Amino acid sequence: RERACEVGIELARRLSEGFPETGRVWGFGSVFEIWRDYRMGSDIDLAVESGDILALMRVTEGAEFPVDVVDLSACEPSFADFIRSQGTILAEAHP
């Protein structure tokens, strides 16, 4: 979990620096929510406030762990609210 968290933070930094339109980059899921069970093979879940999701996903290709990137503006409001309440802000882009 510790290494996956480090990788997630680094990816979030790269996303926010390379794509300022992303706004905040959130980490959620078993890597960042310590109350959840983490398993070897768990993926890194990242959420952005906006942006070109395909371009953002390309940044994560080849990462040490599988990575899912979701666009909060395209999620169901209840899911976006869950991520914002339970997730962790990993990076914030400054346009």
Side-chain angles (χ1 to χ4, degrees):
R1 177 181 271 171
E2 184 178 321
R3 179 65 186 144
C5 189
E6 291 170 357
V7 170
I9 291 168
E10 174 59 24
L11 289 170
R13 184 191 61 76
R14 288 174 40 199
L15 292 175
S16 67
E17 288 177 358
F19 301 88
E21 68 277 10
T22 60
R24 292 184 179 115
V25 181
W26 300 79
F28 68 102
S30 63
V31 170
F32 300 101
E33 297 165 13
I34 59 172
W35 52 271
R36 294 182 66 176
D37 289 335
Y38 176 83
R39 301 177 323 277
M40 294 304 290
S42 289
D43 62 353
I44 297 171
D45 294 306
L46 301 176
V48 297
E49 293 180 334
S50 65
D52 179 345
I53 200 72
L54 294 177
L56 296 169
M57 290 172 67
R58 280 193 291 275
V59 172
T60 69
E61 288 177 355
E64 188 175 333
F65 296 86
V67 180
D68 286 332
V69 181
V70 297
D71 180 350
L72 290 175
S73 67
C75 292
E76 289 290 326
S78 60
F79 185 52
D81 290 344
F82 174 81
I83 291 170
R84 289 184 178 107
S85 69
Q86 298 298 315
T88 302
I89 297 172
L90 303 177
E92 189 165 358
H94 299 284

